[in-house]
C-alpha cells in the first residue's frame, strides 16, 4: 500500500512539473537521441516502480495468507481440544450417574446395581482414569460379596449377562490392569444365575 502511494505522488509531481513548463512556456531544446533516451529511461523507471510494487504486494499477500493459515490452525486446534474436553466431561457425568445409582441400589436390587456399576466402569475406562476405575471396582466387589452371600436370583429372573461380559471392555487401555478382578466378579455372578436356572429346571 505504501509503494502505491509513492508511485501516485511521483506521478502527481511529474504532472505538476509538466503543467508548469507548459504554462510558463519554457523552451526546452532536446535532441532526438536525447529525447528518446530520456523517454526510455523514464519508462524504465516507471516499469521498475510498477514491478517493485507488484513484488511488494505479492510478498505482503503471501505473508497475510500465512498469518490466516496460522490462525486457522490455531482455531482448529482449540476446537479439537474443546471437543475433547466436552467428551471427557460427558463421560465423567455418565460415570457419576451410574456410580451413584449403583451404590444407592446395592441393598435392594444388587443385580441391577451390578449392571449400573458395569456402565460406570465402562465410562471410567473410556476416560482412561485409573482412580475412577479403582473406585468402581471396589463398589463391584462389595456388590458381588452381597450377591454371593444372599443370591437374589429367582426362577423367573432374566439376566442378560452377555451384555456385561469382559469382552465389552477389552478395547480400553486400562482393561488389562483390571482383567483378572473383573473376570472373577463376572464369573461369580453368572455362575450363581446359571445355578438358579438349573435348579428351577430340575424342580419343574
Amino acid at each position: 500500500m505504501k509503494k502505491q502511494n509513492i508511485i501516485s505522488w511521483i506521478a502527481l509531481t511529474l504532472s505538476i512539473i509538466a503543467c508548469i513548463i507548459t504554462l510558463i512556456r519554457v523552451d526546452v531544446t532536446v535532441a532526438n537521441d536525447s529525447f528518446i533516451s530520456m523517454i526510455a529511461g523514464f519508462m524504465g523507471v516507471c516499469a521498475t516502480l510498477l514491478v517493485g510494487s507488484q513484488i511488494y504486494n505479492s510478498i505482503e499477500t503471501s505473508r497475510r495468507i500465512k498469518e490466516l493459515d496460522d490462525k486457522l490452525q490455531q482455531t482448529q486446534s482449540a476446537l479439537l481440544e474443546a471437543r475433547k474436553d466436552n467428551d471427557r466431561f460427558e463421560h465423567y457425568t455418565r460415570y457419576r450417574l451410574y456410580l451413584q445409582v449403583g451404590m444407592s441400589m446395592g441393598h435392594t436390587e444388587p443385580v441391577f446395581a451390578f449392571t449400573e456399576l458395569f456402565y460406570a466402569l465402562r465410562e471410567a475406562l473410556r476416560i482412561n482414569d485409573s482412580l475412577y476405575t479403582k473406585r468402581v471396582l471396589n463398589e463391584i466387589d462389595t456388590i458381588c460379596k452381597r450377591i454371593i452371600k444372599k443370591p437374589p436370583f429367582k426362577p423367573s429372573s432374566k439376566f442378560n449377562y452377555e451384555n456385561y461380559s469382559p469382552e465389552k471392555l477389552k478395547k480400553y487401555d486400562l482393561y488389562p490392569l483390571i482383567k483378572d478382578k473383573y473376570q472373577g466378579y463376572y464369573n461369580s455372578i453368572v455362575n450363581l444365575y446359571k445355578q438358579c436356572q438349573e435348579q428351577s429346571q430340575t424342580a419343574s
Side-chain angles (χ1 to χ4, degrees):
M1 187 64 70
K2 292 182 179 180
K3 288 286 187 181
Q4 291 178 345
N5 291 335
I6 293 173
I7 294 172
S8 299
W9 281 108
I10 291 174
L12 179 60
T13 303
L14 292 175
S15 299
I16 293 173
I17 292 173
C19 291
I20 293 173
I21 292 173
T22 302
L23 290 174
I24 63 176
R25 297 173 180 249
V26 175
D27 293 330
V28 180
T29 303
V30 182
N32 288 336
D33 293 341
S34 301
F35 179 76
I36 293 173
S37 299
M38 183 179 65
I39 293 298
F42 178 74
M43 292 177 63
V45 171
C46 291
T48 302
L49 291 174
L50 289 173
V51 171
S53 176
Q54 292 298 321
I55 293 173
Y56 174 81
N57 289 335
S58 177
I59 295 173
E60 183 68 14
T61 301
S62 299
R63 185 183 65 81
R64 290 188 178 183
I65 290 175
K66 187 177 183 304
E67 287 180 354
L68 290 175
D69 286 340
D70 292 341
K71 289 181 180 180
L72 180 60
Q73 290 179 358
Q74 292 175 1
T75 302
Q76 290 176 339
S77 298
L79 287 174
L80 182 61
E81 288 299 321
R83 191 174 301 160
K84 288 181 179 179
D85 291 341
N86 184 59
D87 289 343
R88 183 177 178 83
F89 178 76
E90 181 180 349
H91 290 304
Y92 175 74
T93 302
R94 291 179 181 176
Y95 160 81
R96 295 291 300 177
L97 176 62
Y98 291 133
L99 180 64
Q100 292 300 324
V101 173
M103 292 172 62
S104 64
M105 300 296 291
H107 291 281
T108 57
E109 297 287 342
V111 178
F112 176 73
F114 170 77
T115 63
E116 293 298 294
L117 290 174
F118 168 83
Y119 295 135
L121 178 61
R122 185 181 62 186
E123 296 300 326
L125 292 173
R126 276 180 177 171
I127 57 181
N128 203 35
D129 193 300
S130 58
L131 293 178
Y132 294 167
T133 302
K134 182 178 180 181
R135 182 178 181 186
V136 178
L137 278 180
N138 290 337
E139 295 298 329
I140 292 177
D141 180 74
T142 301
I143 292 296
C144 283
K145 289 178 180 177
R146 192 170 295 149
I147 292 175
I148 293 172
K149 185 177 181 180
K150 187 178 180 181
F153 297 110
K154 299 177 181 178
S156 59
S157 300
K158 295 296 180 181
F159 178 52
N160 297 321
Y161 54 84
E162 296 90 352
N163 294 336
Y164 315 101
S165 168
E167 296 292 327
K168 304 286 186 179
L169 306 175
K170 278 187 174 181
K171 63 182 179 180
Y172 301 111
D173 294 337
L174 289 179
Y175 177 72
L177 301 178
I178 66 167
K179 176 182 177 180
D180 295 336
K181 277 191 175 182
Y182 183 75
Q183 186 73 55
Y185 299 144
Y186 176 78
N187 291 341
S188 299
I189 295 176
V190 171
N191 289 336
L192 286 174
Y193 174 72
K194 288 182 176 180
Q195 288 174 9
C196 179
Q197 297 300 307
E198 289 174 358
Q199 292 173 3
S200 174
Q201 291 175 0
T202 302
S204 61

